[in-house]
Amino acid sequence: MDGVKSLKLPKVKRQELLKETIEQTPFITDEELAKKFSVSIQTIRLDRMELSIPELRERIKSVASHQWNETVRALPLEDVIGEIVDLELDKRAISILDISQEHVFSRNNIARGHHLFAQANSLAVAVINDELALTAKSELKFTRQVKQGERVVAKAFVEGDNDKGLTIVHVDSFVDNEKVFTGVFYMYRTAEEKGES
Amino acid sequence: MDGVKSLKLPKVKRQELLKETIEQTPFITDEELAKKFSVSIQTIRLDRMELSIPELRERIKSVASHQWNETVRALPLEDVIGEIVDLELDKRAISILDISQEHVFSRNNIARGHHLFAQANSLAVAVINDELALTAKSELKFTRQVKQGERVVAKAFVEGDNDKGLTIVHVDSFVDNEKVFTGVFYMYRTAEEKGES
DNA sequence: ATTACTATTAGTACCAAGTCATAATTACGG
DNA sequence: CCGTAATTATGACTTGGTACTAATAGTAAT
């Protein structure tokens, strides 16, 4: 099929392609890779080692767990938009999100509001120490435009519960200490603070 | 850990629980299941057969490939979220969004708030007859949970401008005529109210 | 009690897709 | 031609299974 022209690639080149190939189609076995590059399985395995690419099953697992992370029951970190850099359940959390091309309007390079919201909202969910946390209500303000290339730091802190049992979480987002977004999230939670299955 | 009380469950009951358990945590091995239910591995395997539940690796694979298929670099937060079915600039707009797997929390199949927000927010942006429209402020309420498989219809109508020159857009989202989300968006615009591109 | 049947457990051989370690072979540059 | 790097081969072992066979325990019916 997509044979490699019988030209035996030099090692580095092959490894580059190998990496790409696996990134694109992580479900490929060493055997198939060996055929594809016309080398032995062992060579592929050496390559994987040198590139520290895990084996098929681990790759599949990691792809799968992105969607269905088992640790979600404890901490939905995988589901968070942005990257969590600090987290103390039911107290506070911080995440960062680098605004890249896919977050902005193509015309003016300004970040689209829903990404800032998503970052803040998912942080509010993550900070809640509960399996089921949902946003019931929120008030937001976008105080400054965020441009492509900027790094948004969202800081959440849990204020406590209101009369209706909703947990109030404040999230403020900054770019270089300048506030770009502020929001209050009223979170619904199962309130069964612990018991698992 | 979460042993099953040494009470040996009847077969049917065990199989029910088995099914649930696997649905919830598909990464569990037969061995772990055997321990959990205090039966032998073989029993678990018989159970799986009778329930036609595939083995661990197949389960993982299917979870992974599901995700992979949907992830063909078509991220949910990209263009206009949802599909616009009606639009009269500076007046009203309607969009629909079918809630699928990628919109929900894996644990409970409830749609994540930021998707509803994204749909509403991008609709609010779209309805503004201006090249540059940004959300300055908004107030939202999530009035009902939305589950996977449901179709969310978001309806936006432009109320007008407030004293600060922000355009006020109301967006209400429904599933089967039941309101699931309501929001007011205060939109910043360049104010050059005119033709489009 | 004997039979019948279901449920459960045990044990074997086998498989895929690996790891790990060791050795042999080939390729290539100086 | 020699030395080193790259590649290939080989074998033992691992996980998490399938497929199949056989044995055992428990219960109900006759």
Side-chain angles (χ1 to χ4, degrees), chain A residues 23-27 57 60-61 63-70 72-73 79-81 102 105 107-108 110-115 117-118 121-122 125 131-143 145 188 196-197, chain B residues 2 23-28 36 57 60-61 63-65 67-68 75 77-81 101 105-108 110-114 117-118 121-122 125 131-143 145 188 197:
Chain A
E23 261 162 31
Q24 276 173 17
T25 60
F27 301 110
R57 288 146 177 157
I60 291 179
K61 242 183 267 177
V63 168
S65 62
H66 260 261
Q67 221 259 323
W68 204 304
N69 196 349
E70 281 183 287
V72 153
R73 61 184 321 137
D79 283 339
V80 171
I81 280 72
E102 79 245 31
F105 290 98
R107 276 246 242 298
N108 47 41
I110 294 174
R112 312 181 69 187
H114 65 254
H115 292 293
F117 175 82
N121 185 54
S122 64
V125 171
E131 261 186 55
L132 176 56
L134 295 168
T135 310
K137 208 177 89 175
S138 68
E139 290 145 23
L140 334 164
K141 202 180 288 177
F142 299 84
T143 53
Q145 295 164 9
Y188 169 77
E196 12 94 81
S197 54
Chain B
D2 43 357
E23 261 163 29
Q24 276 175 13
T25 60
F27 301 107
I28 195 167
K36 184 171 187 119
R57 288 150 181 158
I60 292 178
K61 241 182 267 176
V63 169
S65 61
Q67 217 227 327
W68 198 251
L75 290 170
L77 298 178
E78 224 144 76
D79 252 302
V80 171
I81 282 73
Q101 205 173 21
F105 289 100
S106 44
R107 292 279 289 164
N108 47 42
I110 294 173
R112 311 180 67 192
H114 68 256
F117 174 81
N121 185 53
S122 65
V125 171
E131 261 189 52
L132 177 55
L134 293 169
T135 309
K137 207 177 91 174
S138 68
E139 290 144 23
L140 333 164
K141 202 179 289 180
F142 299 86
T143 53
Q145 295 165 10
Y188 170 79
S197 50

